[in-house]
Amino acid sequence: QVPLVESGGGLVQDGGSLRLSCVASRSIFNFAPIAWYRQAPGKQRELVAEISHKNIIKYVDAVKGRFIISRDNAKNTVDLQMNSLKSEDTAVYYCNTNPPSRQFWGQGTQVTVSS
């Protein structure tokens, strides 16, 4: 079983919304904080939001008030609802633990915001 799998990216206009989903194996989901990261062209990968198994949530300042991270314990999923998207949100989005594990990096899902 692949530890973490992302889905839900796409092309959206400035101001639009997208919802990303990350399915995690139960062993990861129950014991490690799950985070969404993103990497824009020419930039380093950055942490966007994280949620712990105790529902402690953190966001990077750039997405506060626009993105919402949530978890579904029955489905082992961590979703990222992205609202009021901006062109600077364009990136490949990944989910991983926090701190991230090298072996868990997947292909990510592309989010493109057109202005």
Side-chain angles (χ1 to χ4, degrees):
Q1 181 183 6
V2 179
L4 296 154
V5 180
E6 308 97 344
S7 64
L11 174 65
V12 65
Q13 289 189 332
D14 190 42
S17 297
L18 280 175
R19 188 176 185 90
L20 307 182
S21 187
C22 172
V23 180
S25 65
R26 181 164 293 275
S27 61
I28 296 172
F29 187 83
N30 286 342
F31 299 107
I34 304 294
W36 280 96
Y37 299 81
R38 67 185 179 187
Q39 186 166 21
K43 295 187 177 181
Q44 289 189 336
R45 186 151 39 195
E46 65 171 347
L47 187 147
V48 175
E50 71 168 277
I51 185 167
S52 75
H53 59 287
K54 296 182 178 180
N55 276 328
I56 298 172
I57 292 173
K58 299 179 183 178
Y59 298 100
V60 67
D61 286 347
V63 307
K64 284 181 180 177
R66 301 189 297 122
F67 290 13
I68 301 171
I69 191 169
S70 61
R71 59 189 287 142
D72 186 324
N73 293 333
K75 297 180 180 179
N76 292 352
T77 57
V78 173
D79 288 357
L80 186 68
Q81 176 66 41
M82 305 186 295
N83 302 317
S84 302
L85 283 161
K86 307 174 182 180
S87 57
E88 51 262 45
D89 295 317
T90 295
V92 179
Y93 284 71
Y94 304 86
C95 62
N96 203 322
T97 54
N98 188 25
S101 174
R102 182 177 298 180
Q103 63 182 327
F104 293 161
W105 290 118
Q107 293 186 342
T109 185
Q110 177 70 48
V111 171
T112 303
V113 183
S114 65
S115 56

